[in-house]
Amino acid sequence: MTDFFTTVPGPIAYEGPDSDNPLAFRWYDAARTVAGRRMEDHLRFAACYWHSFAWDGSDIFGAGTLDRPWHREGLDPLDAAKAKMAAAFEFFEKLTVPFWCFHDRDIAPEGRTFKESAALLDEMVDEAQGHMERTGTQLLWGTANLFSHPRFQAGAATNPDPELFAYAAAQVCHCLEATHRLGGQNYVLWGGREGYETLLNTDIGRELEQLARFLAMVVEHKHRIGFDGLILIEPKPFEPTKHQYDFDVAAVHAFLQSHDLIGEVHVNIEVNHATLSGHDFAHEVAVARAAGIFGSVDANAGDDRLGWDVDRFPVSVEQMTLGMYEILRGGGFDSGGCNFDAKLRRQSTARDDLFHAHIGGMDTMARSLLAAAAMLEDGELAGAVADRYAGWDDDLGRRIMSGEETLPGLRDRALGVAEPGRTSGRQEALENLVARYVERAR
Ligand code: XLS
Ligand code: NI
Ligand code: NI
């Protein structure tokens, strides 16, 4: 145990909704059983390495603001990586978060050659293994950073130059194996720069075929090494490129279908990416569930007036309740979980701010779980939906769906029946119903 977070003794404990202790959980009670499962096993929280430990608070206008001593100039890169990792695991342990997530470049410095980088990653994976054994923290997923280094300026798998595809493939191969070695439960592919800026220099058809080939290679290798976690694509509509190929869940689904990858690849849905694509988070989960490709969640929040990936910590119980409800309807997480792909505001410079941010996020998600579980258990909302579609279980609906009816057959029928009736969609009443669950969640 290091002493980076000296003002927080840890472990953070559950004290209940009436507690005024800012360093306690008010809703996240890991051991409490909700809808037949421990809260901890429902939510499967993960802290991410990149925003909390690899990012120094810099933005496009200015330098880092955060107190991260391992970024100080002149340090040996490997020593710095180890100091960073010690602080990260001190944090995970004190927060009592069961999982963590990383990019290869978050945990290990980049060498001068691929060979050097691979060796550095191996060394840091050994280091992580020690920390994981000591603290009991598990790995929710690993991923390769195929977007920060200038070599990836034109993308990785979708690069116009096959040398870059080859480099990215080598990096993913190594990172997938590292994830496997650490007992990772999933492997994520976020298409960082897999998209384009202008059609004037881009061949979309080729790039999509390259992306499919890359994905097939990842799937092949996953089976080759016996990795039984899920391969997850994380959709995002834009940023950093103007047009990202994995725009939203529906686009990913169509891509998987047309390349025979259904069953092999699922999705990691990020809340802020969902809203950037013009959808609600719950919509993205529902589409993934309907398509059978739901995997995991990057829990964060956008900002109503900022149209980019601001990665705030989740604050809206209502938004998350609707998302959790869709997740629970599908049976909850399997190997996935809630990864806080979220970062501090750059003025939050005290070391304990990282705790307050995660405690708030975990409580928001936990309270949402309680509301969603009650909604599901009472069944009133589901009942209202079932009533709305009841006609499809009757004679006419069944005949249409079974193929017994044809267009002219339905015209003949219409000639002999009255104008169809209309029933209320009852949206406002249902919104009030949800509000009651959100208010009463305990
Ligand atoms: C960026 C993505 C990224 C992925 C992991 O917007 O959210 O952080 O989750 O590469
Ligand atoms: Ni994001
Ligand atoms: Ni993400």
Side-chain angles (χ1 to χ4, degrees):
M1 170 84 54
T2 56
D3 48 7
F4 181 72
F5 295 100
T6 44
T7 57
V8 182
I12 304 297
Y14 171 73
E15 290 186 6
D18 298 326
S19 172
D20 289 325
N21 177 0
L23 286 171
F25 296 118
R26 295 187 307 120
W27 298 101
Y28 178 59
D29 183 1
R32 173 172 168 191
T33 300
V34 180
R37 223 169 161 185
R38 293 167 76 249
M39 238 190 200
E40 181 178 23
D41 303 329
H42 261 297
L43 294 162
R44 297 171 57 82
F45 285 132
C48 85
Y49 212 89
W50 49 104
H51 289 316
S52 294
F53 302 99
W55 179 60
D56 63 1
S58 56
D59 67 11
I60 49 171
F61 297 101
T65 52
L66 302 179
D67 174 21
R68 302 284 182 264
W70 45 87
H71 288 143
R72 236 180 267 137
E73 260 174 58
L75 295 180
D76 171 71
L78 205 52
D79 289 346
K82 288 181 181 170
K84 173 163 62 165
M85 189 171 274
F89 277 88
E90 179 195 347
F91 178 75
F92 304 152
E93 192 177 17
K94 286 181 172 175
L95 182 64
T96 74
V97 67
F99 295 97
W100 67 299
C101 297
F102 72 94
H103 296 86
D104 46 2
R105 294 294 179 259
D106 301 335
I107 62 170
E110 174 126 15
R112 278 165 306 180
T113 58
F114 177 81
K115 193 173 174 187
E116 266 185 35
S117 297
L120 287 164
L121 182 64
D122 289 340
E123 183 159 353
M124 289 310 297
V125 165
D126 289 345
E127 183 88 0
Q129 212 150 23
H131 284 295
M132 288 171 70
E133 274 161 26
R134 181 177 56 75
T135 61
T137 314
Q138 300 174 70
L139 182 63
L140 188 64
W141 48 263
T143 187
N145 180 330
L146 306 177
F147 45 90
S148 292
H149 194 281
R151 74 172 69 87
F152 295 123
Q153 63 175 25
T158 61
N159 202 290
D161 179 355
E163 283 294 343
L164 271 299
F165 180 111
Y167 195 103
Q171 202 178 319
V172 168
C173 180
H174 207 69
C175 189
L176 178 59
E177 288 175 13
T179 301
H180 186 36
R181 207 152 71 224
L182 290 172
Q185 310 219 349
N186 308 275
Y187 184 83
V188 166
L189 295 149
W190 168 56
R193 293 185 193 275
E194 311 293 30
Y196 71 93
E197 291 299 320
T198 173
L199 279 178
L200 300 179
N201 62 15
T202 302
D203 182 337
I204 291 187
R206 263 183 194 278
E207 294 202 355
L208 289 172
E209 287 312 309
Q210 290 169 215
L211 191 56
R213 182 67 201 118
F214 194 89
L215 211 50
M217 288 168 82
V218 175
V219 169
E220 274 161 33
H221 195 57
K222 160 200 155 143
H223 292 301
R224 189 176 294 125
I225 63 176
F227 177 72
D228 56 13
L230 294 182
I231 301 293
L232 302 172
I233 288 187
E234 185 176 320
K236 186 174 183 179
F238 48 80
E239 195 201 8
T241 70
K242 183 174 171 189
H243 304 267
Q244 302 261 134
Y245 293 129
D246 301 326
F247 188 95
D248 60 1
V249 172
V252 170
H253 181 223
F255 184 80
L256 296 178
Q257 270 180 321
S258 52
H259 295 94
D260 208 17
L261 288 161
I262 294 284
E264 292 289 3
V265 180
H266 294 69
V267 285
N268 180 40
I269 299 172
E270 178 162 320
V271 180
N272 201 174
H273 297 181
T275 51
L276 289 176
S277 67
H279 299 305
D280 292 323
F281 170 51
H283 165 91
E284 289 290 80
V285 177
V287 171
R289 196 166 50 76
I293 58 170
F294 178 72
S296 200
V297 163
D298 270 8
N300 62 10
D303 183 291
D304 288 347
R305 285 176 299 104
L306 298 178
W308 66 91
D309 200 9
V310 293
D311 291 327
R312 291 161 66 220
F313 280 82
V315 283
S316 165
V317 174
E318 188 195 341
Q319 180 186 42
M320 291 301 184
T321 296
L322 296 174
M324 280 308 303
Y325 179 72
E326 295 301 329
I327 293 170
L328 293 183
R329 283 175 73 199
F333 289 115
D334 183 11
S335 65
C338 291
N339 167 47
F340 288 108
D341 192 350
K343 60 175 184 255
L344 294 169
R345 299 307 88 188
R346 72 194 279 278
Q347 296 180 56
S348 301
T349 53
R351 290 184 184 180
D352 67 358
D353 285 327
L354 208 50
F355 282 90
H356 296 293
H358 282 84
I359 290 169
M362 288 161 86
D363 274 343
T364 298
M365 298 305 296
R367 193 155 193 220
S368 306
L369 169 68
L370 291 173
M375 247 155 74
L376 196 67
E377 200 186 347
D378 294 356
E380 207 176 324
L381 192 58
V385 176
D387 286 351
R388 194 155 177 253
Y389 291 86
W392 288 97
D393 297 328
D394 284 347
D395 188 44
L396 176 62
R398 268 202 236 113
R399 281 203 324 271
I400 293 174
M401 292 313 287
S402 67
E404 279 167 67
E405 290 289 354
T406 59
L407 275 189
L410 291 173
R411 178 181 54 193
D412 289 347
R413 180 181 178 276
L415 293 171
V417 297
E419 169 74 17
R422 292 183 298 122
T423 25
S424 171
R426 301 183 63 72
Q427 179 168 336
E428 297 78 4
L430 297 174
E431 284 167 351
N432 294 351
L433 178 67
V434 171
R436 287 208 295 279
Y437 285 105
V438 169
E439 284 155 21
R440 292 177 191 171
R442 279 240 149 202

